[in-house]
Amino acid sequence: MALLIRNGEIVTVGARVHGDIYVENETITQIGKNLEAPPDAEIIDATGKLVFPGFIDPHVHIYLPFMATFAKDTHETGSIAALIGGTTTYIEMCCPNRNDDALEGYQLWKSKAEGKSACDYAFHMSVTKFVKETESQLRQIVADGTASFKIFLAYKNFFGVDDGEMYQTQELAKRLGVIVTAHCENAELVARLQQKLLAEGKTGPEWHEPSRPESVEAEGTGRFATFLENTGATGYVVHLSSEKALRAALDAKSRGVKIHVESVLPHLLLDKSYAERPGVEGMKHVMSPPLRAKHNQAALWNALAAGSIDTIGTDHCPFDTKQKLLGKDSFVNIPNGIPGIEERVNLLYTHGVKRDRLDLDRFVDAASTRAAKLFGLFPRKGTIAVGSDADLVVYDPNYRGVVSAKAQHTNNDYNGFEGMPIEGRPSVVTVRGKVQVRDGKFVGERGRGKMLKREPTHF
Ligand code: URP
Ligand code: ZN
Ligand code: ZN
């Protein structure tokens, strides 16, 4: 069925116009004023609303065996939570560990999503070791449409790669035109500092941050960048949390290194005092890199506003209270991660745009367009243009609410952003022309989501 969205303020990077959007066969076919529609078309009145391109979360974990447990969402629950929050595409980290076969892992991750997600999705392929068969396996995975890699410099002996493996991954990525995303913390230093703190009897969640201080992240970021400088590959630092690490990335960029930066919602809005709360309340805010001292937030917001932080993702990774308590006797056993897929857009709009930290242009760019461009999805995704997929968010800037675990769709029993104000939310969300969400309710088709095949673009 055709769809006509009437009289909204259409916001894309570089343009804001009042008008109508007409959609047929999943695609935007006309943008203009006073567009006509056949009698059987679905009409949405967007008067007084903003119309954004569907938002893209470039960093989520849905299926994730990690730290003796599994992240809580499935593609059914995670995609519905994403859509209610205005995210119409997510890129999941496919994370087989060092003992797993990469190709089998890739097939497993794909099977978990296929026919289950209500929104479109893609994968970053984690390279967690580099052995004889790795190159041919990665070539097959890229040929299958997964044109980005992920490496972890942290998580020694599980996901983590050594410098030799990092070099081989970047070198292959350069030849294939594939971008390499990286979790940048020095694994050896983390392991040593964890042992030292535990030996001193420091076992609570408040010691997680001191076990992976800003210098450890800055070293990882700088080392990743130095390898990029010497392999010529393009890199993307995930979930950057601190001013020191930011400086390492931007120094490299100023030397001509092809490096991009993602930060994630927790590091913009929460600080390390959340992880210093007693007991399980602190554990709920344990993630890596850890929540930092508050002064880092201003540096991250400023870099985001200037465009030197490219994207805002979530690193969505829900573990419930019972799972967090696996670490009650030692912070090193607290499953690392926090959910956020449902809140990202509304919190970024509220605490960025509404609080004058971010203009609307940069908001759309950071939450949608830049990720589409970096990860080979543009202009199919990440913009509103004739020929683009009709992933559209009709956004009500007058909505008022608060984040609450009780109301969330993510499969978890707490929300790390509990009680934070929301000033705006999606009224209508479409995926390829089909209305999937109306006013906070999922009204669409489960399993509508498709895996997005992407071509390498970083030659
Ligand atoms: O704490 C985090 N970030 N958990 C998820 C795994 C990762 O490092 O992205
Ligand atoms: Zn990570
Ligand atoms: Zn992650």
Side-chain angles (χ1 to χ4, degrees):
M1 189 172 53
L3 170 76
L4 179 63
I5 298 180
R6 266 196 183 130
N7 204 26
E9 185 175 353
I10 302 166
V11 186
T12 54
V13 173
R16 280 172 80 166
V17 289
H18 277 94
D20 308 340
I21 300 170
Y22 187 67
V23 174
E24 272 178 309
N25 299 325
E26 307 196 345
T27 306
I28 298 169
T29 55
Q30 294 178 66
I31 301 170
K33 290 202 192 292
N34 306 315
L35 297 180
E36 301 285 332
D40 63 344
E42 183 166 8
I43 312 279
I44 292 167
D45 179 8
T47 306
K49 310 262 175 30
L50 303 163
V51 185
F52 295 122
F55 293 99
I56 299 172
D57 191 335
H59 182 170
V60 307
H61 301 275
I62 304 290
Y63 174 66
L64 184 69
F66 184 46
M67 298 194 71
T69 186
F70 291 83
K72 289 277 296 184
D73 267 322
T74 60
H75 283 272
E76 281 103 332
T77 57
S79 63
I80 287 174
L83 283 167
I84 284 171
T87 292
T88 53
T89 295
Y90 52 63
I91 311 184
E92 186 190 10
M93 299 291 174
C94 170
C95 291
N97 70 49
R98 274 183 91 80
N99 297 320
D100 294 333
D101 179 78
L103 209 46
E104 282 172 15
Y106 180 65
Q107 298 305 347
L108 175 64
W109 256 259
K110 276 177 64 173
S111 74
K112 297 280 177 188
E114 200 168 349
K116 302 290 188 336
S117 177
C119 67
D120 286 349
Y121 59 92
F123 299 100
H124 300 298
M125 182 64 208
S126 296
V127 182
T128 51
K129 63 178 172 230
F130 209 104
V131 291
K132 193 165 43 58
E133 55 275 18
T134 302
E135 174 165 344
S136 74
Q137 292 187 328
L138 291 175
R139 283 180 180 274
Q140 287 179 62
I141 289 165
V142 173
D144 190 53
T146 291
S148 46
F149 297 156
K150 168 74 184 288
I151 55 173
F152 293 88
L153 308 192
Y155 309 131
K156 197 173 156 73
N157 301 328
F158 192 68
F159 293 142
V161 289
D162 63 26
D163 283 357
E165 292 165 323
M166 167 156 65
Y167 181 86
Q168 288 173 290
T169 305
Q170 289 192 10
E171 198 268 329
L172 177 62
K174 168 69 184 164
R175 283 190 275 133
L176 298 180
V178 162
I179 188 168
V180 182
T181 72
H183 175 138
C184 296
E185 292 180 295
N186 184 307
E188 188 61 39
L189 279 170
V190 172
R192 300 281 168 174
L193 292 173
Q194 285 177 335
Q195 283 162 20
K196 178 172 174 283
L197 289 162
L198 290 179
E200 290 165 3
K202 295 169 175 164
T203 58
E206 69 276 25
W207 296 106
H208 177 70
E209 200 277 340
S211 75
R212 11 188 21 124
E214 293 170 22
S215 56
V216 163
E217 186 189 12
E219 190 281 336
T221 307
R223 182 158 39 96
F224 176 59
T226 303
F227 275 61
L228 294 173
E229 192 168 5
N230 287 280
T231 58
T234 302
Y236 175 98
V237 179
V238 300
H239 52 39
L240 183 133
S241 72
S242 66
E243 188 172 3
K244 278 197 179 86
L246 178 65
R247 218 176 297 133
L250 298 185
D251 278 358
K253 200 171 200 163
S254 71
R255 303 196 298 274
V257 177
K258 290 178 280 180
I259 189 165
H260 301 276
V261 177
E262 166 199 279
S263 192
V264 291
L265 208 55
H267 296 303
L268 291 177
L269 296 179
L270 308 173
D271 61 61
K272 69 177 185 170
S273 67
Y274 284 81
E276 289 165 356
R277 293 173 175 183
V280 77
E281 290 309 311
M283 295 179 205
K284 290 176 182 174
H285 293 93
V286 165
M287 67 205 75
S288 294
L291 294 175
R292 299 298 190 192
K294 201 168 177 57
H295 70 83
N296 287 284
Q297 289 175 4
L300 297 186
W301 279 111
N302 290 339
L304 178 61
S308 41
I309 288 179
D310 294 87
T311 60
I312 294 300
T314 54
D315 194 13
H316 177 77
C317 191
F319 295 108
D320 66 15
T321 308
K322 189 162 166 234
Q323 291 172 303
K324 288 284 180 182
L325 283 166
L326 290 169
K328 67 180 170 10
D329 298 323
S330 167
F331 69 87
V332 303
N333 296 327
I334 303 168
N336 286 200
I338 182 172
I341 207 166
E342 197 166 344
E343 293 77 34
R344 176 184 66 125
V345 170
N346 293 335
L347 285 173
L348 192 65
Y349 181 79
T350 304
H351 298 273
V353 178
K354 290 272 180 155
R355 303 286 181 272
D356 288 331
R357 290 169 166 141
L358 209 57
D359 63 30
L360 208 51
D361 198 75
R362 193 73 262 287
F363 164 74
V364 177
D365 191 29
S368 177
T369 311
R370 190 82 65 107
K373 288 182 172 167
L374 286 171
F375 296 118
L377 292 168
F378 190 84
R380 177 172 177 194
K381 306 288 189 189
T383 193
I384 299 175
V386 170
S388 295
D389 282 359
D391 296 352
L392 297 162
V393 177
V394 179
Y395 199 80
D396 179 3
N398 296 313
Y399 175 83
R400 295 292 177 268
V402 289
V403 175
S404 135
K406 280 208 182 80
Q408 77 190 358
H409 299 81
T410 296
N411 184 25
N412 206 0
D413 61 357
Y414 78 94
N415 189 303
F417 304 96
E418 187 74 27
M420 285 199 173
I422 294 294
E423 299 177 13
R425 79 161 182 190
S427 292
V428 173
V429 180
T430 69
V431 173
R432 286 177 279 106
K434 174 146 187 38
V435 173
Q436 294 286 74
V437 169
R438 275 184 199 275
D439 299 321
K441 290 199 175 56
F442 181 74
V443 295
E445 179 189 333
R446 288 165 199 268
R448 178 169 179 75
K450 287 190 181 149
M451 178 182 156
L452 301 167
K453 306 268 181 172
R454 300 174 293 125
E455 295 288 329
T457 56
H458 294 278
F459 291 99

